[in-house]
């Protein structure tokens, strides 16, 4: 029984680990290994417009397949990596990039984490200073202490 569970677990792990490989079809591979490596690098940088959280290299969607073929076609025609990326961005917009470029339009996207950390740091500093500045309160008078002792003794 244990051996059967171990084999089943191994089979499931192997099937799940190979799932991204199913997205890439052998008929898409370029004959030139250098061009193929460039194509794989580029397709890993482009977002699948259907899946949106996967690169076109990992996606099974038809649009992702078309984009993989487009990238390979452009590379085959002699385009540089930047020219291919610019061509795809011109057709689909900046959203197609998994890692957006730094520009005036994406300044908030790149600056938000730093800004939020600074705001949080200032808030913690101000809160801790205010808390330290609060007075410790007034001491109890002798009558108040005696009354509390009486209440506790009851």
């Amino acid at each position: 029984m244990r051996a059967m569970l171990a084999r089943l677990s191994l089979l499931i792990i192997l099937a799940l680990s190979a799932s991204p490989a199913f997205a890439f079809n052998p008929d898409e591979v370029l004959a030139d290994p250098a061009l193929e490596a460039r194509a794989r690098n580029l397709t890993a940088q482009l977002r699948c417009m259907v899946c949106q959280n996967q690169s076109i290299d990992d996606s099974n969607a038809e649009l992702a397949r078309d984009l993989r073929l487009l990238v390979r076609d452009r590379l085959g025609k002699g385009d540089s990596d930047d020219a291919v990326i610019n061509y795809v961005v011109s057709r689909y917009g900046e959203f197609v990039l998994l890692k957006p470029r730094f520009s005036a339009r994406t300044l908030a996207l790149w600056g938000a984490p730093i800004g939020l950390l600074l705001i949080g740091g200032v808030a913690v500093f101000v809160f801790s200073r205010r808390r330290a500045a609060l007075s410790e309160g007034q001491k109890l008078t002798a009558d108040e202490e005696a009354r509390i002792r009486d209440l506790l003794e009851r």
Side-chain angles (χ1 to χ4, degrees), residues 126-148:
V126 168
F127 179 74
S128 65
R129 296 282 294 183
R130 281 189 183 169
R131 188 173 176 116
L134 290 177
S135 65
E136 294 182 17
Q138 300 173 356
K139 279 198 147 205
L140 295 176
T141 64
D143 291 337
E144 291 171 334
E145 285 182 18
R147 183 161 185 238
I148 289 176

Side-chain angles (χ1 to χ4, degrees), residues 78-93:
D79 284 1
S80 68
D81 292 358
D82 288 336
V84 172
I85 293 289
N86 289 335
Y87 179 77
V88 174
V89 167
S90 72
R91 292 183 72 190
Y92 295 98

Side-chain angles (χ1 to χ4, degrees), residues 89-111:
V89 167
S90 72
R91 292 183 72 190
Y92 295 98
E94 289 280 328
F95 184 72
V96 77
L97 297 175
L98 281 172
K99 182 180 176 189
R101 298 173 183 164
F102 185 77
S103 68
R105 289 190 295 174
T106 60
L107 181 63
L109 175 69
W110 289 102

Side-chain angles (χ1 to χ4, degrees), residues 56-71:
I56 61 171
D57 202 31
D58 297 333
S59 175
N60 287 326
E62 279 297 315
L63 179 60
R65 183 183 192 297
D66 292 344
L67 283 173
R68 287 192 302 264
L69 292 173
L70 174 76
V71 166

